């Protein structure tokens, strides 16, 4: 694996930020959680970097129904100093809030190679 060293004097941090998505004329509120990698010299600076990164995601814009949509940063949920960042390192694992009956037998063969991932950015 390839390691990417931070700039001299800085460390890598992973920050997990929760956003609220809302729209005028609707009582629906949806949350999303994003994970960002940032560089900072300590936790205090890392929190400031995380807040600045989250603010860049905040938006208010017209939606398709003639109303207003808003993305607002709710909180920085986690800020973790990382060891060396290596290619392929896991930076997030999000569990579903859904608890449903399992429709799969224990020996089910999933087909991850058939995935057609979307570009989420």
């Amino acid at each position: 694996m390839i390691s990417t060293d931070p700039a001299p004097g800085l460390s890598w941090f992973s920050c997990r930020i929760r956003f609220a998505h809302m729209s005028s004329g609707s009582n629906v509120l949806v949350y999303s959680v994003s994970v960002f990698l940032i560089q900072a010299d300590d936790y205090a600076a890392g929190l400031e970097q995380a807040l600045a990164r989250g603010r860049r995601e905040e938006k208010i814009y017209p939606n398709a129904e003639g109303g207003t949509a808003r993305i607002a940063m709710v909180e920085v949920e986690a800020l973790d100093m990382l060891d060396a960042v290596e290619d392929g390192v896991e930076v997030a694992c999000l569990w579903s809030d859904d608890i449903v009956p399992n429709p799969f037998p224990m020996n089910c063969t999933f087909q991850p190679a058939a995935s057609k991932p979307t570009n989420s950015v």
Side-chain angles (χ1 to χ4, degrees):
M1 291 201 267
I2 300 169
S3 177
T4 303
D5 293 327
L10 300 179
S11 296
W12 283 108
F13 287 81
S14 168
C15 62
R16 188 173 65 230
I17 303 175
R18 178 179 295 272
F19 295 94
H21 300 257
M22 57 193 87
S23 183
S24 63
S26 171
N27 64 351
V28 174
L29 173 65
V30 176
Y31 289 104
S32 68
V33 175
S34 295
V35 177
F36 300 96
L37 294 179
I38 56 176
Q39 294 182 49
D41 57 0
D42 59 22
Y43 279 95
L47 179 56
E48 289 304 313
Q49 291 277 22
L51 290 168
R53 183 63 185 90
R55 286 186 193 108
R56 289 198 304 269
E57 296 297 313
E58 293 184 308
K59 295 175 179 61
I60 298 175
Y61 56 94
N63 65 17
E65 295 165 1
T68 302
R70 177 179 177 210
I71 302 171
M73 178 173 44
V74 175
E75 67 178 328
V76 176
E77 289 187 338
L79 179 65
D80 299 306
M81 184 183 287
L82 304 175
D83 292 330
V85 176
E86 297 179 349
D87 184 31
V89 67
E90 180 178 10
V91 295
C93 175
L94 303 178
W95 289 82
S96 169
D97 289 333
D98 300 332
I99 299 175
V100 296
N102 183 2
F104 305 109
M106 288 299 287
N107 63 350
C108 176
T109 302
F110 294 94
Q111 302 295 325
S115 298
K116 292 183 169 86
T118 61
N119 186 339
S120 61
V121 282

